[in-house]
Amino acid sequence: MTDRDPMIRDFLKATGWGIATRIPLAGDASLRRYERLVRGTDRAILMDAPPDSGEDTRPFIEIAAWLADHGLSSPRIIAHDPDNGLLLLEDLGDDLLATHAASHPEDEPILYAAAAGLLADLHRHVPPALPSYPAQMATLAATVFDWYAPKAQDRRDDLTAAMQRAIDTTLTGPEVLVHRDFHAENLIWLPERTGPARIGLLDFQDAMRGPAEYDLASLIHDPRRAVSPRAAQAATTAYLDATDIDPEILHARIAVCSVQRSLRIIGKVFTRLCLHSGRTSYLRFIPPTWVALQRELRHPALDEVRALLVDLLPEPDAAWLADTAARAGTLYGRDRAGAP
């Protein structure tokens, strides 16, 4: 039981779900908690997002409505109490793309093509009024020096400038709604639905306006699971078939988005979660992110970034991982690893 439980019980009682069985679900990197509610044959999902921990359910509510208005499968909001950080959501089930692909590997290209088709459909719509991600992308990429490679912090401004030039030169398309965490564990397979609605969407509360290729890069360069070459190719082909973008331009934009994302999540997400919050489980995602980073850095659009990063980022080998795990939680309260 938590100190929020009495309030949650009151919320559930007021919404008619007070007698439901509550089953805890696995969480994510945030401080949100999720429970599945079972009431006879009915199912729902409770999101508990404590406002005093910095969580805010209002962006989720607003973006869910926008997605639903455009025919996409965001969870229907059954009830909400944003002041107390509580949401009651439609239960879209457990058939995550990651789970389905693991048990039915022959379906993986179909799933990834469907996800890319959803993105192509999403990108046809004028995005809602959200902050612009490109204005933050270069600065966030440089956080790799804050946590992962603090010995190179004196090159932070250089990396920010080089990344910004790659962004300005390559990511020249119109801004769309960008999920920013679009991967197989945040997508649910709903084959009974049609078209783009066959993919259920989760964890979109941090969406912003940004480059169309960002979510495609997130989908096919996923550190949480090894995406097969067939599935990655199926996704890319499906996106090309549904749009009029030149393949060379698409691959350049994917490379820039992937490198920016890899630098950010290696530093600000995975390493920080270990050193700051003691969550060592996220270290296992760093080696595959490193592999994607090294591969995409070979694209000519990133020549300047690649030249700058040579010898500045340590390889996440066994020794690095063991040393970082040994320092888990030691930097709680710090805003970067190299801070005094």
Side-chain angles (χ1 to χ4, degrees):
M1 179 178 294
T2 71
D3 57 0
R4 291 174 56 81
D5 242 38
M7 179 177 59
I8 292 172
R9 287 198 299 269
D10 289 344
F11 172 73
L12 295 178
K13 183 178 180 181
T15 58
W17 287 82
I19 62 172
T21 300
R22 297 167 56 182
I23 305 169
L25 298 176
D28 53 24
S30 74
L31 295 175
R32 295 182 296 272
R33 294 191 309 116
Y34 297 90
E35 294 179 358
R36 169 165 283 129
L37 307 181
V38 180
R39 186 186 62 183
T41 59
D42 296 329
R43 302 287 186 274
I45 298 295
L46 172 71
M47 179 196 295
D48 175 20
D52 59 4
S53 66
E55 297 291 335
D56 185 358
T57 60
R58 290 174 179 85
F60 186 99
I61 295 169
E62 294 167 3
I63 296 167
W66 187 91
L67 292 168
D69 286 346
H70 289 85
L72 301 177
S73 293
S74 57
R76 179 174 58 87
I77 296 174
I78 301 169
H80 58 84
D81 179 1
D83 290 339
N84 289 312
L86 297 174
L87 286 180
L88 194 60
L89 305 171
E90 174 189 10
D91 186 352
L92 294 178
D94 293 317
D95 203 9
L96 298 172
L97 262 62
T99 305
H100 190 102
S103 58
H104 303 281
E106 70 280 4
D107 289 347
E108 187 187 21
I110 298 171
L111 301 174
Y112 275 72
L118 178 153
L119 288 177
D121 183 84
L122 176 67
H123 298 162
R124 296 187 182 100
H125 304 294
V126 176
L130 294 169
S132 175
Y133 192 43
Q136 305 177 20
M137 288 177 74
T139 300
L140 288 171
T143 58
V144 72
F145 290 152
D146 291 345
W147 293 97
Y148 183 80
K151 292 181 180 178
Q153 277 195 46
D154 60 332
R155 306 301 303 277
R156 196 180 194 279
D157 290 346
D158 296 332
L159 177 56
T160 301
M163 195 74 234
Q164 190 64 59
R165 283 188 284 272
I167 290 166
D168 292 343
T169 301
T170 309
L171 304 183
T172 55
E175 290 188 348
V176 300
L177 184 141
V178 179
H179 183 293
R180 293 207 305 136
D181 207 13
F182 193 85
H183 58 80
E185 291 186 358
N186 277 340
L187 305 173
I188 296 181
W189 183 229
L190 303 169
E192 71 281 2
R193 303 186 184 185
T194 60
R198 291 183 301 165
I199 301 293
L201 294 160
L202 304 176
D203 285 351
F204 43 73
Q205 59 278 337
D206 294 325
M208 301 177 76
R209 290 183 295 110
E213 296 76 18
Y214 188 89
D215 282 344
L216 184 56
S218 175
L219 176 69
I220 64 177
H221 299 158
D222 183 356
R224 295 166 182 80
R225 68 178 306 272
V227 179
S228 72
R230 288 179 61 236
Q233 184 59 53
T236 304
T237 300
Y239 192 83
L240 285 168
D241 288 346
T243 62
D244 58 0
I245 188 171
D246 180 271
E248 290 189 7
I249 292 175
L250 178 67
H251 288 297
R253 291 175 177 174
I254 288 175
V256 172
C257 288
S258 182
V259 165
Q260 185 275 340
R261 182 172 181 273
S262 293
L263 291 170
R264 177 184 68 84
I265 63 177
I266 283 177
K268 187 175 176 61
V269 181
F270 297 150
T271 308
R272 181 182 180 276
L273 281 170
C274 175
L275 296 179
H276 181 275
S277 305
R279 300 171 77 171
T280 57
S281 62
Y282 286 90
L283 290 179
R284 71 185 188 276
F285 299 136
I286 293 181
T289 309
W290 170 267
V291 171
L293 174 64
Q294 302 309 309
R295 182 182 61 244
E296 298 306 305
L297 275 172
R298 294 197 291 266
H299 195 283
L302 291 147
D303 282 349
E304 184 182 4
V305 175
R306 182 179 65 253
L308 173 66
L309 291 177
V310 170
D311 299 327
L312 292 183
L313 299 183
E315 182 178 356
D317 56 18
W320 185 91
L321 291 168
D323 175 71
T324 305
R327 294 184 291 123
T330 60
L331 300 183
Y332 181 77
R334 303 268 283 272
D335 63 355
R336 59 184 64 184

